[in-house]
Amino acid sequence: MRGITRRTVLTVTAGAVTAPAVSTATAAAADATTAASEGPQAAWRPDPVLRTDLVTRVTPRNNWLVTAVAIQYAHHIDLRGGAVPAAAFQVQATVGGRTAPRTVTRVYSNTTAAVDDRPDPGRPGDHLIVELDPNDSDARAAGTDPFPLDRAYSVRQVADVRAPGGGPVLRSGPFASRNNGIITPVVDDFAAGSFTDSAGFDLNFRLYQPEGFVRDSRTRARYPLVLTLHGGGEVADNNMTQLTANRIAVTFAKPERQRRNPAFVLSPQIPLPRPMDGPDGTDWTDAKVQSALIELVDTFVSEHSRNVDTDRLYVVGLSSGGRGIYSLLAKRPEMFAAALPTAGWGDVAAMERITHIPMWADHSVDDPVVPYREGRFGKPGTWTLMSALESAGARVSRGEWGNDLPKAQFEARSRELLRQARAARSHVLFTSYTPGTTPVSPHFAWAQTYENDVVIDWLFEQSR
């Protein structure tokens, strides 16, 4: 990977490989000619597979999962209104030296190598999408680092697929195909880069650029910048898990959010070996890391001064990233328009310097990793920091509810808290999650934070 100097932020994009197209008419004519010349045996010839790809997804609670296999054929597939039985395909995954079957949940044709989330999915096309159960024990795509998944999956068709009239559409055969590549929607749209600060310290990062800027880099349109600070579990050298370990960055780059709020999304990653020179032994407060982070943001904004809206810089983060937010805001209180710190901790003395900054914090009351009141490494948790903000003069609007509420109810509670905050002229909001309600682990308070459209809409409304 090429380094990025202080003077130039260089982004790297990956090209796509496209298989040659075969028209329906041409394929049909070829099939008919071959069938006539070869006789009855031609009916059982395997259908040509051009490539097979894994389709993965970053999920709110289970991290990065392989959720489908996309098979591209040399011809158009038209099921004529019929359905493909899940039992027609068998999928096996070899991960960590262990081979196990994956559960096929539904199969349908499509025009691209993409999952169709509609209740009645699919359309005629040259791809067949084999969806997999995300709850399978071998569904994970990464631990601390991404798993080596190239050719790790095999797919075999074990039964013919027929149209409602009885004619074969896809024939089964003895051969299995293995995945050529891995497709991760949204994540694949982040360019990979690195930044070397004035002291020679390197930070890897991923960058999402809004579509309008990509189409015309000479545009004078100005976009917000969202800076994401990952948690301690994503400290690594892979320049990937800050995107795939949770949905903090993906949330702001997904198409539906970019249509509403086009923005740059900058996601740096702390390298190994872990820097631990910070005042409380954390990573984003490490002097080297924080200095490089601030310089990265300053350089990016300077290099893109025509297109970054400097009145709408936002910082979001979880766990160790939440700790980084409180420290960064106190160091640069004039830089950011708003912040979303989740399950963080910080310095009480710093709160008086950031009373003016709009903030929506959240934390699980029963968090055992970063205790809600006591925090970590002798620095208090979110409840204590919010009380310190109040003592320093900020109005804090507080609410508590379950972190396992359905999305509609969860957002309704957030909407009511926001209504109360506006009535009280409060720009600091604090959501606590009732003990026993945060899925997977009480520390994972962010399970719904970045799925919450009320919170994200509020963030983009803020301006310095």
Side-chain angles (χ1 to χ4, degrees):
M1 183 179 296
R2 295 178 59 185
I4 293 184
T5 66
R6 298 177 62 234
R7 295 195 53 80
T8 305
V9 177
L10 175 68
T11 59
V12 182
T13 57
V17 178
T18 305
V22 180
S23 73
T24 305
T26 302
D31 285 348
T33 301
T34 305
S37 63
E38 295 183 6
Q41 293 299 320
W44 300 101
R45 182 186 56 196
D47 293 283
V49 172
L50 297 181
R51 64 178 293 123
T52 302
D53 292 291
L54 302 185
V55 181
T56 67
R57 176 176 292 184
V58 181
T59 65
R61 300 176 184 177
N62 297 311
N63 299 328
W64 193 21
L65 305 177
V66 178
T67 55
V69 178
I71 308 168
Q72 184 180 19
Y73 292 88
H75 60 80
H76 195 78
I77 301 167
D78 188 352
L79 299 173
R80 302 177 183 88
V84 182
F89 286 83
Q90 291 180 349
V91 179
Q92 286 191 316
T94 302
V95 179
R98 174 177 177 268
T99 299
R102 290 294 308 273
T103 306
V104 177
T105 56
R106 60 181 187 174
V107 183
Y108 49 87
S109 59
N110 208 351
T111 55
T112 61
V115 169
D116 186 342
D117 289 323
R118 296 177 301 175
D120 185 20
R123 63 195 70 185
D126 61 352
H127 285 79
L128 205 67
I129 309 301
V130 181
E131 287 195 26
L132 307 172
D133 189 343
N135 297 311
D136 287 347
S137 59
D138 293 292
R140 294 284 301 275
T144 301
D145 291 311
F147 293 143
L149 294 177
D150 289 342
R151 296 171 299 282
Y153 274 61
S154 67
V155 186
R156 183 184 170 200
Q157 183 179 342
V158 295
D160 289 350
V161 174
R162 296 180 177 275
V169 177
L170 291 172
R171 304 165 181 84
S172 61
F175 300 107
S177 61
R178 289 193 174 270
N179 63 292
N180 300 76
I182 304 166
I183 299 168
T184 305
V186 184
V187 169
D188 291 340
D189 296 327
F190 280 78
S194 64
F195 174 76
T196 303
D197 75 357
S198 55
F201 187 82
D202 292 332
L203 272 184
N204 284 338
F205 67 83
R206 287 298 192 106
L207 174 67
Y208 180 88
Q209 302 167 94
E211 185 178 333
F213 176 80
V214 172
R215 283 199 310 265
D216 179 11
S217 61
R218 294 174 296 178
T219 180
R220 293 191 174 274
R222 293 169 68 79
Y223 302 96
L225 168 66
V226 181
L227 174 67
T228 72
L229 303 185
H230 62 71
E234 290 77 66
V235 176
D237 291 325
N238 53 49
N239 206 3
M240 175 62 84
T241 51
Q242 76 269 37
L243 302 183
T244 58
N246 48 65
R247 285 176 61 85
I248 183 172
V250 168
T251 286
F252 297 97
K254 62 186 182 182
E256 53 268 40
R257 175 53 61 182
Q258 282 286 320
R259 284 193 291 269
R260 292 167 69 171
N261 302 109
F264 292 100
V265 185
L266 181 61
S267 301
Q269 183 180 48
I270 298 170
L272 291 170
R274 297 180 74 109
M276 297 296 280
D277 297 335
D280 55 4
T282 63
D283 297 306
W284 290 111
T285 57
D286 175 276
K288 299 185 296 295
V289 171
Q290 192 168 86
S291 177
L293 175 65
I294 291 172
E295 204 169 319
L296 167 61
V297 175
D298 284 342
T299 303
F300 183 84
V301 171
S302 174
E303 292 287 326
H304 295 78
S305 59
R306 184 168 64 180
N307 299 112
V308 173
D309 184 348
T310 54
D311 287 331
R312 299 179 69 203
L313 305 188
Y314 308 117
V315 58
V316 303
L318 51 88
S319 191
S320 180
R323 167 63 176 129
I325 286 176
Y326 293 119
S327 177
L328 186 60
L329 293 181
K331 292 279 181 63
R332 295 290 297 272
E334 81 293 344
M335 177 180 283
F336 295 98
L340 299 180
T342 299
W345 68 100
D347 297 282
V348 166
M351 294 301 103
E352 64 181 15
R353 296 198 291 275
I354 63 174
T355 57
H356 63 288
I357 301 175
M359 190 182 311
W360 197 323
D362 59 337
H363 208 135
S364 300
V365 175
D366 56 343
D367 187 338
V369 178
V370 181
Y372 176 71
R373 294 173 183 261
E374 295 82 9
R376 201 171 190 200
F377 300 124
K379 306 293 183 181
T382 308
W383 186 90
T384 307
L385 295 178
M386 294 298 106
S387 297
L389 274 174
E390 284 181 315
S391 297
R395 291 185 178 136
V396 179
S397 296
R398 301 173 184 251
E400 180 178 330
W401 54 83
N403 206 2
D404 56 355
L405 292 176
K407 178 177 171 65
Q409 294 180 34
F410 193 95
E411 292 188 347
R413 297 295 297 269
S414 301
R415 198 172 292 110
E416 173 58 22
L417 180 60
L418 180 56
R419 187 195 66 76
Q420 295 172 14
R422 286 170 172 163
R425 297 180 182 271
S426 166
H427 59 259
V428 179
L429 298 91
F430 175 33
T431 304
S432 302
Y433 301 122
T434 304
T437 66
T438 298
V440 184
S441 164
H443 181 48
F444 296 173
W446 51 88
Q448 295 211 59
T449 303
Y450 298 99
E451 305 308 298
N452 189 338
D453 288 327
V454 176
V455 170
I456 306 303
D457 287 345
W458 170 87
L459 181 76
F460 280 107
E461 290 170 3
Q462 309 309 309
S463 181
R464 286 195 307 141

